[in-house]
Amino acid sequence: MSSETREAGPSTSTVEGAGADVDAPETTGTADAGAGSDGQGGTPPVDTEDGGHKTHSDRSVLIAAVGLLVLCLGVALFGMVRGGDEGKAEPKAPTAPVTYEVTGEGTVDLSYQGVSEQGTAETVSGASLPWKETVEVPLGQNPVISITLGEQGGQVRCAVAVRGRHMQSATASGGFGRATCSAPLPAPEPEATN
């Protein structure tokens, strides 16, 4: 059987069992203020919650902040170099005003070249006469109007004017009569390069 001995004086204890240190002083888990700073090879305590890795975490935060700053500056410089192209509209192709006119009596189906740069035509079914429309047509395109009479026939005339100047006219008559008027527009002049 084992016995336990207690002595008065410094706090030492004898505990039952093997491997117990008889003369070990009790520790409280808090470091002395001067421990490790007496030049005897100890490490100074660090007041961090994660156990003393303050310098490494500060360095990581600093590197992340510098990286974020470099990224933001890169995006800002990219926007400046591009010159804010998103806000600018692409230059439109130069156009000329073209007036289409159809005269006569009754109704007519017609199609004409308008502002579309793809060359698609605007169509009007059963247009009451007289009919007139002025549109912008891109230079290099040929403004054209085509008219078709209905079953009742009749007599109608189409005309094309470019920049107010009469260019061509044609007449359609009889049942399902047809006529087409067109005018050439000059190609746009190439832009001068500096």
Side-chain angles (χ1 to χ4, degrees), residues 99-180:
T99 302
Y100 300 111
E101 186 173 8
V102 180
T103 56
E105 294 182 9
T107 60
V108 68
D109 294 336
L110 56 95
S111 66
Y112 62 94
Q113 170 73 39
V115 291
S116 169
E117 292 180 25
Q118 290 79 25
T120 58
E122 299 287 329
T123 59
V124 179
S125 297
S128 297
L129 300 181
W131 179 91
K132 186 175 183 178
E133 185 78 26
T134 301
V135 296
E136 294 290 323
V137 176
L139 294 181
Q141 300 285 325
N142 288 330
V144 63
I145 184 169
S146 298
I147 57 173
T148 306
L149 292 168
E151 186 178 342
Q152 294 82 10
Q155 186 169 357
V156 295
R157 182 177 157 272
C158 67
V160 176
V162 176
R163 295 185 178 115
R165 184 173 159 223
H166 175 73
M167 301 299 285
Q168 185 182 32
S169 64
T171 303
S173 59
F176 303 106
R178 296 174 181 254
T180 301

Side-chain angles (χ1 to χ4, degrees), residues 2 5 8 22 43-44 50 54-55 58 61-62 65 68 73 86 88 101 107 112-113 127 161-162 183 185:
S2 309
T5 350
V22 176
T43 359
D50 63 349
K54 183 174 182 175
T55 56
D58 285 349
V61 169
L62 181 63
L68 184 61
L73 286 174
E86 293 79 25
K88 296 179 182 176
E101 186 173 8
T107 60
Y112 62 94
Q113 170 73 39
V162 176
L185 281 180

Side-chain angles (χ1 to χ4, degrees), residues 26-33 35 45:
E26 291 183 352
T27 58
T28 60
T30 58
D32 291 339

